[in-house]
């Protein structure tokens, strides 16, 4: 899920103990599809601007931004990305990320002091709001993630959806280390070591406002739409990882839509509404808010003869409402950076 960058702070603050789990072993669900379905998915992804590729440069006059689409979990191939972009980061005017160390710490502190941010102690419980079959499927999926049914029953729906989107084998990393250790954190560590300022693209409490205004029914539908992926989460984890390192992050977004058509129990129209809501809420509106900080910081760095580096979830790059399209509309020239050192096409 696109909020997985904040997962360590969310889990640690909530005091959730995660079970030991095997490493992510599963099948690539995209490769398992019939060739016709694969072609249909790829055609859907190819209609989206900047759908392929992880590394980009934006230039406007003497201002320069190196944009790195990140993956929020451990993988040894992140070392290849650091080898390619580490020297640029060492001399950058700033590194911009979704949430820096200060923001993650503030988020964790807030949740420790106010459990109501993710738990609803007074309203109707999830089993009271869901059908018997849906509730049974949910609590079983959450117990695999180390969360008892009694705790799940009082969780806010958006937080349940966050947890469902992460496979148990990935959550093991958080249990062991207290952080995802993904590319975002590696970029931050490199910047701090080099004395490069780290800046957040959005306020620490953004996550709590993303789902404001949803109706009770929409909240439950959000959980139902997340359930198909939770059913075979390890396969999803392998599929996501393979797609990311092939530079095809948007392909997994389209796969999630098509999979929900088949397996969520929602109508096509309901799935489309959920997907469009998620894209608008989790990506597009956040992307718009990021352009100001990116342009302001790039202008400041240019006055020092420097560029900046921005690292954030790869899904934020693509689309009409993606960061690359928005920068292009603001007068920036966008160029894809070829990966080096053995990384696959675009990643």
């Amino acid at each position: 899920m696109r909020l997985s960058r904040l997962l360590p702070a969310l889990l640690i603050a909530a005091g959730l103990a995660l079970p030991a789990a095997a490493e992510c072993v599963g099948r690539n669900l995209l490769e398992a599809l019939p060739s016709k379905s694969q072609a249909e998915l790829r055609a859907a992804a190819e209609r989206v601007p900047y759908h392929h590729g992880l590394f980009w440069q934006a230039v406007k006059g003497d201002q320069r931004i190196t944009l790195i689409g990140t993956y929020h979990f451990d993988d040894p191939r992140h070392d290849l990305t650091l080898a390619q972009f580490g020297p640029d980061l060492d001399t950058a005017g700033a590194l911009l990320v979704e949430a820096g160390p200060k923001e993650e710490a503030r988020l964790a502190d807030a949740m420790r002091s106010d459990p109501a941010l993710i738990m609803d102690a007074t309203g109707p419980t999830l089993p009271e709001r869901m059908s018997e079959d849906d509730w049974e499927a949910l609590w079983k999926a959450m117990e695999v993630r180390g969360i008892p049914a009694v705790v799940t029953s009082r969780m806010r729906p958006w937080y349940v959806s966050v947890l469902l989107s992460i496979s148990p084998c990935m959550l093991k990393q958080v249990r062991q280390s207290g952080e995802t250790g993904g590319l975002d954190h590696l970029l931050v560590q490199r910047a701090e070591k080099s004395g490069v300022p780290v800046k957040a693209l959005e306020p620490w409490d953004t996550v709590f406002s993303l789902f404001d205004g949803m109706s009770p029914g929409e909240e439950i539908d959000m959980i139902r739409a997340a359930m198909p992926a939770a059913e075979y989460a390890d396969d999803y984890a392998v599929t996501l990882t393979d797609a990311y390192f092939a530079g095809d992050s948007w392909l997994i977004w389209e796969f999630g839509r098509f999979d929900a058509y088949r397996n969520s129990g929602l109508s096509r129209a309901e799935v489309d509404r959920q997907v469009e809501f998620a894209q608008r809420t989790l990506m597009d509106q956040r992307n718009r808010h990021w352009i100001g900080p990116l342009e302001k910081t790039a202008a400041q760095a240019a006055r020092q003869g420097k560029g900046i580096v921005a690292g954030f979830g790869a899904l934020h790059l693509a689309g009409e409402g993606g960061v690359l399209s928005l920068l292009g509309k603001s007068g920036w020239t966008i160029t894809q950076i070829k990966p080096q050192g053995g990384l696959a096409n675009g990643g």
Side-chain angles (χ1 to χ4, degrees), residues 87-109:
D88 291 336
L89 181 54
D90 292 339
T91 59
L95 168 68
L96 283 83
V97 291
E98 294 176 46
K102 292 180 180 178
E103 288 72 31
E104 290 184 346
R106 287 197 65 184
L107 174 62
D109 287 344

Side-chain angles (χ1 to χ4, degrees), residues 201-202 206 284-294 326:
L201 286 164
E202 59 193 7
T206 297
D284 291 354
Q285 73 178 20
R286 295 170 69 204
N287 297 341
R288 290 194 297 272
H289 294 154
W290 292 357
I291 299 304
L294 284 169
L326 294 175

Side-chain angles (χ1 to χ4, degrees), residues 126-138:
L126 290 178
E128 291 171 329
R129 297 175 61 183
M130 303 176 74
S131 72
E132 184 175 341
D133 288 345
D134 285 346
W135 167 243
E136 182 177 7
L138 175 59

Side-chain angles (χ1 to χ4, degrees), residues 106-124:
R106 287 197 65 184
L107 174 62
D109 287 344
M111 291 176 61
R112 288 190 189 99
S113 62
D114 186 6
L117 291 171
I118 61 169
M119 304 294 290
D120 183 357
T122 58

Side-chain angles (χ1 to χ4, degrees), residues 1-2 4-6 53-56 66-75 78 81-82 85 89 95-99 180-188 201 240-241 243-245 249 252 290 309-317 346-347:
M1 208 255 197
R2 278 47 64 186
S4 56
R5 177 69 181 89
L6 298 176
L54 299 174
F55 313 132
W56 303 80
T66 299
L67 299 117
I68 300 174
T70 64
Y71 177 65
H72 301 318
F73 290 90
D74 279 326
D75 193 285
H78 291 325
T81 301
L82 282 180
F85 294 100
L89 181 54
L95 168 68
L96 283 83
V97 291
E98 294 176 46
T180 63
L183 182 55
D184 310 72
H185 279 184
L186 295 177
L187 292 171
V188 169
L201 286 164
L240 171 61
T241 304
Y244 171 80
F245 283 104
S249 294
I252 197 67
W290 292 357
V309 175
F312 46 78
L315 280 171
H316 291 277
L317 292 168

Side-chain angles (χ1 to χ4, degrees), residues 7-296:
L7 189 63
L10 292 168
L11 292 176
I12 294 167
L16 295 176
L18 298 169
E23 295 301 319
C24 297
V25 176
R27 60 176 181 148
N28 186 308
L29 298 170
L30 287 169
E31 293 177 355
L33 289 173
S35 57
K36 182 179 179 180
S37 297
Q38 290 188 38
E40 186 179 4
L41 280 173
R42 292 192 178 278
E46 288 168 3
R47 290 193 287 268
V48 175
Y50 303 107
H51 65 275
H52 181 78
L54 299 174
F55 313 132
W56 303 80
Q57 185 173 78
V59 175
K60 182 193 248 186
D62 60 351
Q63 301 173 46
R64 186 177 73 259
I65 307 173
T66 299
L67 299 117
I68 300 174
T70 64
Y71 177 65
H72 301 318
F73 290 90
D74 279 326
D75 193 285
R77 287 167 287 187
H78 291 325
D79 292 341
L80 299 174
T81 301
L82 282 180
Q84 180 171 354
F85 294 100
D88 291 336
L89 181 54
D90 292 339
T91 59
L95 168 68
L96 283 83
V97 291
E98 294 176 46
K102 292 180 180 178
E103 288 72 31
E104 290 184 346
R106 287 197 65 184
L107 174 62
D109 287 344
M111 291 176 61
R112 288 190 189 99
S113 62
D114 186 6
L117 291 171
I118 61 169
M119 304 294 290
D120 183 357
T122 58
T125 64
L126 290 178
E128 291 171 329
R129 297 175 61 183
M130 303 176 74
S131 72
E132 184 175 341
D133 288 345
D134 285 346
W135 167 243
E136 182 177 7
L138 175 59
W139 70 255
K140 288 180 177 179
M142 294 292 277
E143 284 203 340
V144 171
R145 290 158 173 77
I147 303 167
V150 67
V151 177
T152 298
S153 70
R154 283 295 180 184
M155 282 184 171
R156 297 197 180 278
W158 71 265
Y159 188 50
V160 172
S161 296
V162 170
L163 295 174
L164 287 175
S165 70
I166 311 297
S167 81
C169 69
M170 287 181 167
L171 288 174
K172 178 187 176 184
Q173 298 172 13
V174 183
R175 181 186 66 85
Q176 291 179 330
S177 66
E179 60 178 60
T180 63
L183 182 55
D184 310 72
H185 279 184
L186 295 177
L187 292 171
V188 169
Q189 291 168 8
R190 179 75 176 244
E192 291 179 332
K193 184 177 180 180
S194 300
V196 174
V198 177
K199 300 184 178 183
L201 286 164
E202 59 193 7
W204 67 271
D205 57 353
T206 297
V207 64
F208 300 120
S209 62
L210 292 178
F211 303 97
D212 288 348
M214 292 187 74
S215 70
E218 288 172 333
E219 290 181 329
I220 299 305
D221 281 348
M222 178 171 59
I223 294 175
R224 292 176 65 197
M227 285 302 299
E231 293 288 328
Y232 34 96
D234 288 351
D235 290 340
Y236 246 93
V238 170
T239 307
L240 171 61
T241 304
D242 288 351
Y244 171 80
F245 283 104
D248 283 329
S249 294
W250 197 262
L251 197 61
I252 197 67
W253 180 261
E254 294 296 339
F255 175 78
R257 180 200 301 267
F258 280 67
D259 191 43
Y261 286 158
R262 294 189 300 270
N263 299 312
S264 69
L266 300 173
S267 69
R268 250 182 114 90
E270 289 171 325
V271 169
D272 285 340
R273 280 196 295 271
Q274 284 292 319
V275 172
E276 288 160 11
F277 173 82
Q279 182 175 338
R280 183 174 67 253
T281 302
L282 301 179
M283 292 188 285
D284 291 354
Q285 73 178 20
R286 295 170 69 204
N287 297 341
R288 290 194 297 272
H289 294 154
W290 292 357
I291 299 304
L294 284 169
E295 292 192 310
K296 179 180 179 181

